[in-house]
Every structure is written in structure tokens, then in C-alpha cells.
Amino acid sequence: MTGRAGRVAVTVVLAGAVSACGTVSERRDEVRDAAVAFEKAVAAGAYGRMCTALAPGTVEELEQSAGSPCAKALSEESLASGGAVRVVDVYGNQARAVLATDTLFLSRFAAGWKVVAAGCSPRPEQPYQCRVKGG
Amino acid sequence: MTQHSSRTTPPEHRGLRGFVRDNGLGLFFTVTFLLALAGQAIAGHADFNNQLVADQLRPISLAEYLTSSDFAVDVAENWQSEYLQFFLFIGVTVWLVQRGSPESKELHKGGTESDKQQLVGKYAKEGAPAWARVGGWRRAVYSHSLLLVMGAIFLLSWLVQSITGVAAYNEQQLRQLQAPISWSQYLGAADFWNRTLQNWQSELLAVASMAVLSIYLRQRGSPESKPVGSAHGATGVEG
């Protein structure tokens, strides 16, 4: 490979990586936006919008364990709005949004960031305990 | 290219063939390294996606995987241990010897040896590197350049392992609904030391095996072995 071809290849790979994944701050903003949208739906009791914001695996688990469609299952969970976003952590395609009174876990899908788990409380040395989560 | 050699072989053939023949060892290991790295990338990508699918998460493309912390830490953790192995091997064999091993110097030669033995300064011969001829810091640096570069690559790879390792670890933590940790916390984490030490132990075992087995066993024609007929007690002899 010539020097010029090598530089072009490196540029293409880097450009592909950046455009595919976005910068860390861009992804953090995307996660924040997704968390805020979910919390607005929770505050409004808009269960349909909440279902749209959930990850496919989480919807499946929710419907299976409740034995009812997603919106109805969510209405029975009575999730409370978590307030403002305090901290966002993003690693690869996984993220955590710490809110004033709640914590969300999110994952990036083709349609954008989706909520994998909500209504989560920390437990020492163990995974968060979440009211809504995937399987 | 000398007149003699250009007469014996056609120039366009001689150049490539001559280069390959003269650099076979470096070329072989560079090509096999690239093939193995490509294989690791493909297998690692498939393994990573298997985990994502099992967690009902979106699989990623090969391009995404190649720029991921998961791939980077798997590469870096092996690199650091390999360079540590050579760093230690180069450094320790200055002082420590092994009776009967072709990997060792002769038993009485422990240490950095005299200028005469090392062919530096006024003892430098024709064709000696320029920094071996001169004195001062340049000779001091050049006298340890192999160790310094191996050590620097080791430290750099280990640093990269720690940085990409904490990112990969935190991604895993988030997938398991657990809180991420900081880089400084990761330096004391079991994951970091497990990745580090499992590589170190295998490298150290390989060197110990080579140093000891080569006392009694032979490979005819290899410079890493003593000549087949050498006595087991002969030290510092290469075939």
C-alpha cells in the first residue's frame, strides 16, 4: 500500500467509525435526550410513548411477565417520574442516565437509544433493582 | 547492488526475491501476525455479537467492533505481556545465567561486560553503528536501546490495556445493570489484574521452558538450539 493510499484508508476508517458511532459528547447528548423524552412520557402517563421508548427485549419481557400488552402492563407498574437528568455515562452502545429520583439504563439500536431498564435503585455489590427491565 | 550480483540474477527478479530471502524471518512473523489479528477480529466480533444477541441488544458491525474497547483491550492485553516477556528476557539475561542453556551467556560473563567485549568506543570495528563509536549519553542510550524500546512498548500497551479495559468493563457493567467505575478504581479491579496476570504467567512459563528445555533438547539447524551434538552442560552455544 502506498503512503497516500494508506492515509486515505486510515481517513476512511476513522470517518466511518466517527460517523457510525458519533463522538462521546454527541452520544451523551443523544442519551440525555432519550432519557428526557422517556421521563416526559412517564410524567404525562403516555404509556404508548413509553412503550416506543423501550428496548424490544424489555417490551417482550414486560408483556410476557404481565400477560398483557405493553401499555397496559406499564400502567400497572405505576412508574413515577424521575426528575431532571443528573449524570449520563456512555460506554460503547450502553448507557446509564442517573435522574434526581430514578436511574435508567439505555442501549443503542438502529432506531436510536432505547430504555433497557427503568425505575432502578442501586444495591451494594449487586445489579440495580429495576421495576421494568429486559430478560 | 553490486555489478557481480546484478549479472547473476535479472534485476527485477533479484530485488524481490533477494529481499524476501534476506528478510524471511521478519516477513513470516509480520504476515502471520496480521493473519492472526484478522482472525481474532472475526472471531471476537462473532463472540461479542453472540453476547449482545443473548442480551436482546443490537449486534454491531465489524467496523464498529474494530473501533470498540472490547477489541482494543483484547489486543492490548496480549501485546503488553509479549513485550514484557522480551523486556525481561533481554534485561535479566544480562545478569542471570542458566548452565547448559543456549539462551544464556557463558557462566562467567554476567553483567554488562567491558567496552572491549561490547566493541564500543575505541574498540568499535568498521561498520559499527555511529552511536557505538562515540561516548557520552549517545552510547549510553544506544547500549540499552533494545531494552528501552521494549520497555516503552510494554508500558504503553499496558496503559492502553487499562484505558480500553475500563471502557470494555463499564460497557459490560451497564449491560448487567451495574454502575460503571473510574479508571483509578479499575487499576485495583479484579478484571484488570486477571487480564494482566493470566497473560504474564503464560509468557513467563514459556521463557522458563525455553531456557530449561533447550539444555537437554535440540532442533537441528535452529539458532535457538545448541548444535545437536553439544554437551548438555555447554552454555552460551547456539547452533
Side-chain angles (χ1 to χ4, degrees):
Chain A
M1 190 183 286
T2 65
R4 187 167 178 275
R7 281 195 297 276
V8 170
V10 168
T11 307
V12 168
V13 169
L14 287 178
V18 169
S19 63
C21 309
T23 64
V24 173
S25 68
E26 279 172 1
R27 282 184 295 157
R28 197 167 280 149
D29 290 345
E30 289 168 8
V31 169
R32 186 180 295 273
D33 292 346
V36 168
F38 182 78
E39 286 305 313
K40 278 184 180 170
V42 172
Y47 300 116
R49 269 168 40 211
M50 286 165 67
C51 288
T52 308
L54 289 178
T58 306
V59 171
E60 189 184 317
E61 176 67 20
L62 189 65
E63 290 181 336
Q64 214 162 45
S65 57
S68 54
C70 176
K72 186 167 187 306
L74 274 179
S75 69
E76 289 162 3
E77 285 294 336
S78 60
L79 281 175
S81 175
V85 178
R86 296 269 171 85
V87 178
V88 171
D89 299 297
V90 183
Y91 291 94
N93 286 341
Q94 316 306 323
R96 177 183 72 158
V98 180
L99 315 177
T101 57
D102 193 7
T103 297
L104 305 178
F105 286 88
L106 302 96
S107 186
R108 201 161 73 95
F109 289 83
W113 290 91
K114 300 285 185 182
V115 176
V116 171
C120 301
S121 312
R123 293 182 296 178
E125 308 296 324
Q126 284 188 38
Y128 277 65
Q129 185 142 41
C130 302
R131 300 182 67 172
V132 174
K133 65 176 182 176
Chain B
M1 187 184 298
T2 65
Q3 268 192 326
H4 173 75
S5 56
S6 63
R7 272 203 309 274
T8 54
T9 316
E12 66 273 20
H13 243 189
R14 185 202 171 279
L16 183 61
R17 281 187 179 177
F19 179 79
V20 170
R21 190 176 54 242
D22 291 352
N23 298 283
L25 201 54
L27 286 171
F28 172 80
F29 281 105
T30 302
V31 169
T32 50
F33 155 70
L34 292 172
L35 289 173
L37 187 64
Q40 182 195 340
I42 292 165
H45 177 231
D47 183 44
F48 193 65
N49 273 347
N50 286 343
Q51 295 171 35
L52 289 173
V53 169
D55 288 345
Q56 297 182 300
L57 301 173
R58 182 181 72 90
I60 61 173
S61 67
L62 181 61
E64 277 181 282
Y65 180 69
L66 291 178
T67 56
S68 72
S69 53
D70 195 78
F71 178 61
V73 69
D74 285 351
V75 170
E77 75 174 46
N78 283 282
W79 285 18
Q80 60 87 0
S81 65
E82 301 297 337
Y83 283 98
L84 173 67
Q85 178 193 48
F86 280 103
F87 171 76
L88 289 177
F89 197 47
I90 296 162
V92 167
T93 50
V94 173
W95 298 99
L96 300 184
V97 294
Q98 176 64 54
R99 184 183 295 276
S101 177
E103 303 300 330
S104 168
K105 297 196 284 191
E106 291 173 66
L107 302 178
H108 64 281
K109 286 190 174 173
T112 53
E113 304 181 7
S114 66
D115 287 357
K116 189 176 180 182
Q117 288 170 305
Q118 288 292 310
L119 306 175
V120 295
K122 66 181 181 183
Y123 303 103
K125 294 183 174 171
E126 192 182 357
W131 283 25
R133 294 176 179 282
V134 298
W137 67 271
R138 283 179 294 179
R139 191 203 298 173
V141 168
Y142 192 67
S143 296
H144 302 286
S145 53
L146 187 57
L147 192 67
L148 289 171
V149 168
M150 289 293 183
I153 297 175
F154 157 63
L155 288 175
L156 195 62
S157 303
W158 203 19
L159 177 67
V160 170
Q161 180 201 322
S162 71
I163 294 168
T164 55
V166 71
Y169 180 78
N170 281 341
E171 186 171 353
Q172 179 77 15
Q173 286 282 100
L174 294 176
R175 271 164 47 193
Q176 295 171 346
L177 309 183
Q178 296 186 70
I181 62 175
S182 68
W183 178 71
S184 57
Q185 286 174 311
Y186 184 68
L187 293 185
D191 185 78
F192 176 66
W193 287 104
N194 183 38
R195 281 180 179 276
T196 296
L197 291 170
Q198 68 174 289
N199 282 284
W200 286 5
Q201 59 84 12
S202 63
E203 304 304 335
L204 296 170
L205 174 67
V207 174
S209 304
M210 186 66 190
V212 175
L213 291 178
S214 58
I215 298 170
Y216 305 104
L217 306 177
R218 309 282 186 271
Q219 176 54 54
R220 185 173 184 143
S222 174
E224 301 308 314
S225 163
K226 295 193 282 194
V228 179
S230 285
H232 292 333
T235 307
V237 183
E238 294 189 341

